[in-house]
PDB file of all heavy atoms in Angstrom:
ATOM      1  N   ILE A 218     296.733 221.449  43.180  1.00 93.00           N
ATOM      2  CA  ILE A 218     297.500 222.384  43.925  1.00 93.00           C
ATOM      3  C   ILE A 218     297.135 222.253  45.388  1.00 93.00           C
ATOM      4  O   ILE A 218     298.116 222.297  46.361  1.00 93.00           O
ATOM      5  CB  ILE A 218     297.231 223.791  43.401  1.00 93.00           C
ATOM      6  CG1 ILE A 218     297.838 223.903  42.016  1.00 93.00           C
ATOM      7  CG2 ILE A 218     297.849 224.816  44.343  1.00 93.00           C
ATOM      8  CD1 ILE A 218     297.443 225.259  41.308  1.00 93.00           C
ATOM      9  N   GLY A 219     295.976 222.170  45.799  1.00 93.00           N
ATOM     10  CA  GLY A 219     295.508 222.101  47.081  1.00 93.00           C
ATOM     11  C   GLY A 219     296.056 220.892  47.889  1.00 93.00           C
ATOM     12  O   GLY A 219     296.606 220.937  48.976  1.00 93.00           O
ATOM     13  N   GLY A 220     295.885 219.691  47.227  1.00 90.00           N
ATOM     14  CA  GLY A 220     296.380 218.444  47.788  1.00 90.00           C
ATOM     15  C   GLY A 220     297.816 218.477  48.067  1.00 90.00           C
ATOM     16  O   GLY A 220     298.486 218.137  49.003  1.00 90.00           O
ATOM     17  N   PHE A 221     298.526 219.020  46.940  1.00 92.00           N
ATOM     18  CA  PHE A 221     300.053 219.075  47.071  1.00 92.00           C
ATOM     19  C   PHE A 221     300.468 220.073  48.121  1.00 92.00           C
ATOM     20  O   PHE A 221     301.467 219.800  48.862  1.00 92.00           O
ATOM     21  CB  PHE A 221     300.663 219.330  45.637  1.00 92.00           C
ATOM     22  CG  PHE A 221     302.209 219.457  45.702  1.00 92.00           C
ATOM     23  CD1 PHE A 221     302.954 218.433  45.635  1.00 92.00           C
ATOM     24  CD2 PHE A 221     302.784 220.756  45.756  1.00 92.00           C
ATOM     25  CE1 PHE A 221     304.273 218.461  45.565  1.00 92.00           C
ATOM     26  CE2 PHE A 221     304.181 220.953  45.783  1.00 92.00           C
ATOM     27  CZ  PHE A 221     304.901 219.675  45.712  1.00 92.00           C
ATOM     28  N   GLY A 222     299.789 221.163  48.203  1.00 94.00           N
ATOM     29  CA  GLY A 222     300.153 222.241  49.178  1.00 94.00           C
ATOM     30  C   GLY A 222     299.962 221.762  50.534  1.00 94.00           C
ATOM     31  O   GLY A 222     301.030 221.949  51.446  1.00 94.00           O
ATOM     32  N   TYR A 223     298.851 221.166  50.952  1.00 92.00           N
ATOM     33  CA  TYR A 223     298.836 220.856  52.349  1.00 92.00           C
ATOM     34  C   TYR A 223     299.600 219.540  52.715  1.00 92.00           C
ATOM     35  O   TYR A 223     300.052 219.367  53.789  1.00 92.00           O
ATOM     36  CB  TYR A 223     297.372 220.751  52.932  1.00 92.00           C
ATOM     37  CG  TYR A 223     296.476 219.568  52.269  1.00 92.00           C
ATOM     38  CD1 TYR A 223     296.775 218.225  52.533  1.00 92.00           C
ATOM     39  CD2 TYR A 223     295.361 219.797  51.593  1.00 92.00           C
ATOM     40  CE1 TYR A 223     296.006 217.121  52.087  1.00 92.00           C
ATOM     41  CE2 TYR A 223     294.522 218.832  51.161  1.00 92.00           C
ATOM     42  CZ  TYR A 223     294.792 217.474  51.366  1.00 92.00           C
ATOM     43  OH  TYR A 223     294.020 216.405  50.889  1.00 92.00           O
ATOM     44  N   SER A 224     299.874 218.669  51.753  1.00 92.00           N
ATOM     45  CA  SER A 224     300.758 217.651  51.962  1.00 92.00           C
ATOM     46  C   SER A 224     302.136 218.142  52.214  1.00 92.00           C
ATOM     47  O   SER A 224     302.831 217.502  53.169  1.00 92.00           O
ATOM     48  CB  SER A 224     300.700 216.604  50.806  1.00 92.00           C
ATOM     49  OG  SER A 224     299.429 216.103  50.472  1.00 92.00           O
ATOM     50  N   LEU A 225     302.715 218.966  51.363  1.00 94.00           N
ATOM     51  CA  LEU A 225     304.024 219.616  51.681  1.00 94.00           C
ATOM     52  C   LEU A 225     304.126 220.270  52.921  1.00 94.00           C
ATOM     53  O   LEU A 225     305.080 220.086  53.678  1.00 94.00           O
ATOM     54  CB  LEU A 225     304.295 220.531  50.499  1.00 94.00           C
ATOM     55  CG  LEU A 225     305.746 221.086  50.421  1.00 94.00           C
ATOM     56  CD1 LEU A 225     306.784 219.845  50.220  1.00 94.00           C
ATOM     57  CD2 LEU A 225     305.904 222.086  49.380  1.00 94.00           C
ATOM     58  N   ALA A 226     303.168 221.127  53.431  1.00 95.00           N
ATOM     59  CA  ALA A 226     303.109 221.745  54.587  1.00 95.00           C
ATOM     60  C   ALA A 226     303.154 220.848  55.788  1.00 95.00           C
ATOM     61  O   ALA A 226     303.865 220.974  56.840  1.00 95.00           O
ATOM     62  CB  ALA A 226     302.077 222.867  54.753  1.00 95.00           C
ATOM     63  N   SER A 227     302.377 219.836  55.718  1.00 95.00           N
ATOM     64  CA  SER A 227     302.149 218.863  56.754  1.00 95.00           C
ATOM     65  C   SER A 227     303.514 218.084  56.931  1.00 95.00           C
ATOM     66  O   SER A 227     303.866 217.691  58.034  1.00 95.00           O
ATOM     67  CB  SER A 227     301.059 217.901  56.549  1.00 95.00           C
ATOM     68  OG  SER A 227     299.787 218.602  56.464  1.00 95.00           O
ATOM     69  N   ALA A 228     304.077 217.672  55.791  1.00 95.00           N
ATOM     70  CA  ALA A 228     305.369 216.952  55.863  1.00 95.00           C
ATOM     71  C   ALA A 228     306.432 217.730  56.417  1.00 95.00           C
ATOM     72  O   ALA A 228     307.183 217.203  57.294  1.00 95.00           O
ATOM     73  CB  ALA A 228     305.787 216.468  54.364  1.00 95.00           C
ATOM     74  N   PHE A 229     306.528 218.963  56.128  1.00 96.00           N
ATOM     75  CA  PHE A 229     307.524 219.915  56.810  1.00 96.00           C
ATOM     76  C   PHE A 229     307.335 219.891  58.395  1.00 96.00           C
ATOM     77  O   PHE A 229     308.240 219.802  59.114  1.00 96.00           O
ATOM     78  CB  PHE A 229     307.451 221.394  56.222  1.00 96.00           C
ATOM     79  CG  PHE A 229     308.360 222.290  56.852  1.00 96.00           C
ATOM     80  CD1 PHE A 229     309.745 222.224  56.572  1.00 96.00           C
ATOM     81  CD2 PHE A 229     307.887 223.155  57.824  1.00 96.00           C
ATOM     82  CE1 PHE A 229     310.648 223.120  57.193  1.00 96.00           C
ATOM     83  CE2 PHE A 229     308.787 224.058  58.444  1.00 96.00           C
ATOM     84  CZ  PHE A 229     310.251 224.065  58.073  1.00 96.00           C
ATOM     85  N   MET A 230     306.115 220.059  58.820  1.00 97.00           N
ATOM     86  CA  MET A 230     305.883 220.083  60.223  1.00 97.00           C
ATOM     87  C   MET A 230     306.190 218.734  60.805  1.00 97.00           C
ATOM     88  O   MET A 230     306.760 218.567  61.982  1.00 97.00           O
ATOM     89  CB  MET A 230     304.356 220.396  60.471  1.00 97.00           C
ATOM     90  CG  MET A 230     304.006 221.898  60.293  1.00 97.00           C
ATOM     91  SD  MET A 230     302.293 222.410  60.979  1.00 97.00           S
ATOM     92  CE  MET A 230     301.248 221.483  59.924  1.00 97.00           C
ATOM     93  N   TRP A 231     305.773 217.658  60.255  1.00 97.00           N
ATOM     94  CA  TRP A 231     305.950 216.328  60.746  1.00 97.00           C
ATOM     95  C   TRP A 231     307.509 216.034  60.986  1.00 97.00           C
ATOM     96  O   TRP A 231     307.904 215.648  62.030  1.00 97.00           O
ATOM     97  CB  TRP A 231     305.316 215.408  59.770  1.00 97.00           C
ATOM     98  CG  TRP A 231     305.325 213.895  60.424  1.00 97.00           C
ATOM     99  CD1 TRP A 231     304.205 213.393  60.855  1.00 97.00           C
ATOM    100  CD2 TRP A 231     306.301 212.857  60.269  1.00 97.00           C
ATOM    101  NE1 TRP A 231     304.434 212.002  61.330  1.00 97.00           N
ATOM    102  CE2 TRP A 231     305.758 211.734  60.964  1.00 97.00           C
ATOM    103  CE3 TRP A 231     307.582 212.774  59.767  1.00 97.00           C
ATOM    104  CZ2 TRP A 231     306.401 210.568  61.028  1.00 97.00           C
ATOM    105  CZ3 TRP A 231     308.306 211.662  59.917  1.00 97.00           C
ATOM    106  CH2 TRP A 231     307.608 210.486  60.568  1.00 97.00           C
ATOM    107  N   PHE A 232     308.181 216.274  59.852  1.00 97.00           N
ATOM    108  CA  PHE A 232     309.768 215.985  60.022  1.00 97.00           C
ATOM    109  C   PHE A 232     310.326 216.930  60.966  1.00 97.00           C
ATOM    110  O   PHE A 232     311.330 216.504  61.550  1.00 97.00           O
ATOM    111  CB  PHE A 232     310.370 215.993  58.552  1.00 97.00           C
ATOM    112  CG  PHE A 232     310.110 214.843  57.651  1.00 97.00           C
ATOM    113  CD1 PHE A 232     309.268 214.914  56.627  1.00 97.00           C
ATOM    114  CD2 PHE A 232     310.725 213.673  58.009  1.00 97.00           C
ATOM    115  CE1 PHE A 232     308.987 213.889  55.870  1.00 97.00           C
ATOM    116  CE2 PHE A 232     310.467 212.523  57.228  1.00 97.00           C
ATOM    117  CZ  PHE A 232     309.658 212.615  56.081  1.00 97.00           C
ATOM    118  N   THR A 233     309.976 218.221  60.984  1.00 96.00           N
ATOM    119  CA  THR A 233     310.533 219.119  61.977  1.00 96.00           C
ATOM    120  C   THR A 233     310.377 218.678  63.333  1.00 96.00           C
ATOM    121  O   THR A 233     311.249 218.567  64.198  1.00 96.00           O
ATOM    122  CB  THR A 233     309.923 220.562  61.771  1.00 96.00           C
ATOM    123  OG1 THR A 233     310.394 221.022  60.453  1.00 96.00           O
ATOM    124  CG2 THR A 233     310.645 221.506  62.792  1.00 96.00           C
ATOM    125  N   CYS A 234     309.115 218.275  63.725  1.00 96.00           N
ATOM    126  CA  CYS A 234     308.720 217.901  65.079  1.00 96.00           C
ATOM    127  C   CYS A 234     309.459 216.497  65.405  1.00 96.00           C
ATOM    128  O   CYS A 234     310.107 216.412  66.450  1.00 96.00           O
ATOM    129  CB  CYS A 234     307.259 217.563  65.126  1.00 96.00           C
ATOM    130  SG  CYS A 234     306.275 219.000  64.946  1.00 96.00           S
ATOM    131  N   MET A 235     309.671 215.547  64.519  1.00 96.00           N
ATOM    132  CA  MET A 235     310.277 214.374  64.740  1.00 96.00           C
ATOM    133  C   MET A 235     311.775 214.565  64.968  1.00 96.00           C
ATOM    134  O   MET A 235     312.331 214.056  65.835  1.00 96.00           O
ATOM    135  CB  MET A 235     309.944 213.321  63.687  1.00 96.00           C
ATOM    136  CG  MET A 235     308.549 212.896  63.498  1.00 96.00           C
ATOM    137  SD  MET A 235     307.895 211.981  65.002  1.00 96.00           S
ATOM    138  CE  MET A 235     308.591 210.353  64.643  1.00 96.00           C
ATOM    139  N   TYR A 236     312.312 215.419  64.098  1.00 96.00           N
ATOM    140  CA  TYR A 236     313.723 215.672  64.291  1.00 96.00           C
ATOM    141  C   TYR A 236     314.098 216.317  65.558  1.00 96.00           C
ATOM    142  O   TYR A 236     315.018 215.927  66.195  1.00 96.00           O
ATOM    143  CB  TYR A 236     314.255 216.566  63.102  1.00 96.00           C
ATOM    144  CG  TYR A 236     315.662 216.982  63.235  1.00 96.00           C
ATOM    145  CD1 TYR A 236     316.704 216.282  62.894  1.00 96.00           C
ATOM    146  CD2 TYR A 236     315.918 218.345  63.609  1.00 96.00           C
ATOM    147  CE1 TYR A 236     317.996 216.643  63.040  1.00 96.00           C
ATOM    148  CE2 TYR A 236     317.216 218.844  63.770  1.00 96.00           C
ATOM    149  CZ  TYR A 236     318.305 217.942  63.494  1.00 96.00           C
ATOM    150  OH  TYR A 236     319.593 218.363  63.615  1.00 96.00           O
TER     151      TYR A 236
END
Side-chain angles (χ1 to χ4, degrees):
I218 293 171
F221 180 78
Y223 69 63
S224 297
L225 188 63
S227 299
F229 177 75
M230 287 194 289
W231 193 93
F232 282 107
T233 299
C234 293
M235 295 296 280
Y236 173 77

